[in-house]
Amino acid sequence: VQPVKEDAEGYSKEEIKPLFEDTPCLRGLISESKSRNTASNTILLKQLSNGALIDIVNAASGRSFRRKSRKVVLFDEVDAYPKLDEGDPIKLGRNRADYYWDRKIGLGGTPIFKGGKTEEWFLRGDQRRYYVPCPFCNAYQVLRWEQMCKEGPQAGKYECENCKELIPHSKKRWMVERGEWRPTAVSQVPGLVSFHIWAAYSHSPAADWSILVREYQEALDAMRKGDPDAMQTFHNTVLGMPWEDTLSGKLNADGLTKRRLDTGSGNGYPIGTVPNGVLAITAGVDVQGGGGSAGERLVVTVWGWGKGEEGWHLGHWEIDGDPQQPETLDQLTQIAATKWQREDGIEMRLAMGGIDDGGYATHEVRDWCRGKSGVWVPMKGAPQKGKPLLGRGVAVDVNRKNRPLIKGGVMLYHVGYDASVNHLQGRLRNETPGPGYLHLGEASTDQFLDELFPWKRMPKRDKGQTTYHWVKPTGANDEAGDCTRYAYAALQLLSRRYNRATMWDQLERRINAVKPEPLPQQVPGPVDPIMQRRKPQSARRGNFVSGW
């Protein structure tokens, strides 16, 4: 049982076929099929001349397990198995062997995440590990990464747990040949044995201890530069250990609540407060509808941004009403006209807002965005992996898709799903106030924090390779997160009107040019000139109408 169909076909061609061709005692057991229609010997079904049958199926299809009875069932790369409506693929496969008293069931693969199927079944068994003797003191021990020398001239040597001698890689084969499997726990399931082994035992030239140390240092350097994927790959493929996402506790509602309560880091500011560091305000809108009157609404999130893209959450609302009706969308005009007063008295308005038009009310959203001088712009999620956080923009007609921009048309911008979620995760991981940090105030309600980052990073098999994608768990709500992603995309779109290198300095100079009345008089200061509308210029292909 392979994770997906492509894996099953690849396993047959790359593993099974060479096995029967190159092994003398097996050669000739599979007869060559003279017709492609011959069902006895296909890519996924092999009928042997001795009567045996090899059936290679994929866990992504519940049909793979129907109407079959098999004495031996082997599951491969179980952590990459998808969820099925019919139930757990492992349970479905095990049931295929229920009628055999001497059945054999095996599960294996590379563990990916903590709590995955591979780790689960290993812990349920007797947890056997491979013990090898020290060439100096003959003390048997399990090879552990902690005992490997990782720096200096001794890097790549192994320190014996007993005599503390440094063992060179050249002694590995001698040790492995004299090793033995030993159980380290009592099996929770009668007859279930489990094994763990990792690259340090391998005779492969690529598993030289010095090479493993070098790979570790490369992964460590990558992680320090903000790429945790490299260290996860090392844990999974070299150590044979599941990766535990230590950041998940900081991104859930409890972790984000702690951030909101951390007033010493500039969080917990009152509702309606705009900190002095804010130089631009953007909004993101999620359009909900099509599921009955209770689900028809607009969800709006507003963020303030300062130097280094330091962010402050300013507000989150739901606007009840059918997004297909102009009176519902017109309420966004009121939000754009709202004056936000900074703590120093300077008043600001919304600079730009992005509206998701990828689902319900696509035509109405695009039509409404016409003539808004680029303050409100339609955006659409791009689910394909590898897409940039914000695309260049596509000129579309409001009535038909992918038509050249004509009079009354509108610009549509695609927001990369994986890129924007990954970016939001990186910002929420930042715990140091300043550039790239996201502040949370009293407007960040418990519901907002629960929806801000619900995504989980899960493995997916693609053309024989395991890739990772952000997935929203079943039943989770990601409206606050989607709105925040669009608000940030709006900020990136805003920066295209400026020289990115000097954008924040330009905004700061304009803000500082405003001299508000003293706050105790409660007299609002004049509107920031940058927020006043300029006469729109003609729209050009690939650009917004200029002006705010």
Side-chain angles (χ1 to χ4, degrees):
V1 184
Q2 293 289 329
V4 296
K5 183 179 180 181
E6 291 78 9
D7 290 329
E9 294 177 345
Y11 185 78
S12 175
K13 298 174 183 178
E14 300 167 15
E15 303 289 343
I16 299 298
K17 188 175 184 292
L19 173 70
F20 280 85
E21 290 178 348
D22 302 337
T23 308
C25 64
L26 299 180
R27 190 178 297 129
L29 286 180
I30 298 180
S31 59
E32 291 297 329
S33 181
K34 296 182 180 180
S35 171
R36 292 187 177 182
N37 296 324
T38 302
S40 61
N41 185 8
T42 65
I43 294 178
L44 300 179
L45 184 65
K46 306 293 185 183
Q47 180 72 56
L48 278 60
S49 59
N50 64 358
L53 184 71
I54 300 177
D55 194 2
I56 309 168
V57 302
N58 74 89
S61 172
R63 296 178 58 188
S64 300
F65 304 102
R66 297 174 187 167
R67 300 180 294 101
K68 296 177 181 178
S69 182
R70 300 289 182 263
K71 182 176 180 178
V72 179
V73 182
L74 304 177
F75 300 91
D76 193 22
E77 299 296 349
V78 296
D79 271 15
Y81 284 7
K83 292 184 178 180
L84 299 178
D85 294 336
E86 295 91 334
D88 180 10
I90 296 178
K91 178 63 176 176
L92 294 175
R94 292 177 65 200
N95 290 343
R96 299 301 89 201
D98 283 348
Y99 295 105
Y100 294 93
W101 67 270
D102 56 347
R103 68 177 184 175
K104 184 179 291 292
I105 298 174
L107 302 92
T110 302
I112 299 178
F113 288 104
K114 194 74 174 177
K117 292 294 183 180
T118 306
E119 182 190 32
E120 174 191 340
W121 281 95
F122 172 76
L123 295 177
R124 292 176 69 179
D126 58 2
Q127 303 175 39
R128 302 187 183 194
R129 300 182 185 273
Y130 200 68
Y131 283 74
V132 295
C134 170
F136 298 103
C137 67
N138 206 43
Y140 274 74
Q141 58 201 283
V142 176
L143 295 183
R144 306 180 191 279
W145 180 247
E146 293 76 13
Q147 297 299 117
M148 190 73 71
C149 298
K150 306 174 184 65
E151 298 179 351
Q154 306 299 334
K157 293 185 178 180
Y158 189 89
E159 181 183 6
C160 174
E161 295 180 359
N162 182 56
C163 67
K164 307 304 180 183
E165 287 284 346
L166 297 182
I167 306 172
H169 175 266
S170 60
K171 297 292 185 180
K172 178 170 70 173
R173 183 177 291 272
W174 181 92
M175 298 166 67
V176 173
E177 289 175 348
R178 290 161 178 78
E180 58 186 38
W181 287 103
R182 296 180 183 178
T184 62
V186 177
S187 179
Q188 301 176 20
V189 180
L192 178 61
V193 296
S194 57
F195 307 83
H196 173 266
I197 199 158
W198 60 290
Y201 292 93
S202 173
H203 294 328
S204 168
D208 187 294
W209 289 346
S210 62
I211 294 178
L212 300 184
V213 170
R214 186 173 71 241
E215 291 182 4
Y216 170 76
Q217 294 296 344
E218 292 172 352
L220 192 62
D221 290 341
M223 187 177 70
R224 289 169 178 167
K225 294 177 182 178
D227 179 16
D229 294 351
M231 188 56 72
Q232 177 180 341
T233 301
F234 181 83
H235 267 254
N236 292 161
T237 61
V238 176
L239 303 183
M241 296 294 293
W243 176 254
E244 183 174 12
D245 185 5
T246 57
L247 300 171
S248 59
K250 300 177 182 179
L251 303 183
N252 61 21
D254 292 337
L256 294 174
T257 298
K258 292 179 181 179
R259 173 179 291 211
R260 181 183 61 191
L261 298 176
D262 184 10
T263 55
S265 296
N267 298 300
Y269 42 91
I271 295 177
T273 299
V274 181
N276 289 336
V278 174
L279 300 176
I281 297 175
T282 66
V285 182
D286 191 22
V287 178
Q288 296 291 327
S293 58
E296 294 177 344
R297 66 194 190 283
L298 302 176
V299 185
V300 186
T301 290
V302 176
W303 284 83
W305 306 98
K307 283 190 172 182
E309 295 186 347
E310 186 173 7
W312 288 264
H313 181 233
L314 304 180
H316 185 72
W317 308 275
E318 292 187 1
I319 300 176
D320 292 331
D322 185 358
Q324 293 182 334
Q325 302 302 319
E327 55 266 26
T328 301
L329 294 169
D330 283 343
Q331 296 187 56
L332 297 177
T333 304
Q334 301 177 24
I335 293 178
T338 299
K339 296 180 180 180
W340 296 79
Q341 189 176 75
R342 294 201 324 181
E343 292 175 317
D344 58 8
I346 294 177
E347 290 184 337
M348 306 176 65
R349 291 184 180 176
L350 183 73
M352 183 171 290
I355 309 177
D356 177 24
D357 83 334
Y360 187 69
T362 296
H363 167 76
E364 289 78 10
V365 167
R366 294 180 182 180
D367 191 19
W368 184 84
C369 285
R370 289 185 302 169
K372 298 300 185 293
S373 299
V375 175
W376 290 107
V377 294
M379 295 182 174
K380 184 176 182 179
Q384 300 88 351
K385 193 173 180 63
K387 290 291 184 179
L389 191 147
L390 183 68
R392 294 182 59 184
V394 179
V396 294
D397 181 76
V398 296
N399 295 314
R400 299 179 184 177
K401 297 181 179 180
N402 301 321
R403 290 287 302 275
L405 183 63
I406 60 175
K407 184 177 180 180
V410 66
M411 293 294 295
L412 172 68
Y413 287 81
H414 289 85
V415 178
Y417 180 79
D418 268 358
S420 58
V421 173
N422 199 56
H423 180 272
L424 178 58
Q425 178 215 209
R427 291 304 173 89
L428 293 175
R429 283 167 45 196
N430 185 356
E431 298 180 323
T432 305
Y437 183 81
L438 298 182
H439 297 269
L440 303 173
E442 293 181 1
S444 307
T445 63
D446 292 343
Q447 179 180 344
F448 174 84
L449 297 181
D450 190 51
E451 299 175 1
L452 185 55
F453 200 88
W455 299 281
K456 301 295 181 183
R457 201 162 170 274
M458 299 300 293
K460 181 180 179 181
R461 298 289 289 183
D462 184 16
K463 297 181 180 179
Q465 300 295 321
T466 300
T467 58
Y468 300 90
H469 300 257
W470 289 107
V471 177
K472 183 182 72 172
T474 303
N477 192 324
D478 61 354
E479 290 176 359
D482 284 344
C483 290
T484 298
R485 292 191 298 115
Y486 286 118
Y488 181 76
L491 176 67
Q492 296 305 299
L493 194 54
L494 181 66
S495 71
R496 295 182 181 179
R497 296 180 175 178
Y498 291 86
N499 182 332
R500 287 180 179 271
T502 62
M503 170 181 169
W504 297 111
D505 290 337
Q506 293 181 57
L507 291 174
E508 188 173 40
R509 284 196 297 270
R510 295 186 183 188
I511 289 289
N512 291 337
V514 178
K515 297 180 179 179
E517 296 293 333
L519 287 178
Q521 299 181 17
Q522 299 299 316
V523 178
V527 177
D528 178 8
I530 193 174
M531 299 302 174
Q532 295 182 359
R533 298 282 183 87
R534 297 198 297 267
K535 183 178 180 180
Q537 300 175 2
S538 60
R540 294 180 299 169
R541 185 176 180 88
N543 293 293
F544 273 107
V545 176
S546 63
W548 286 21

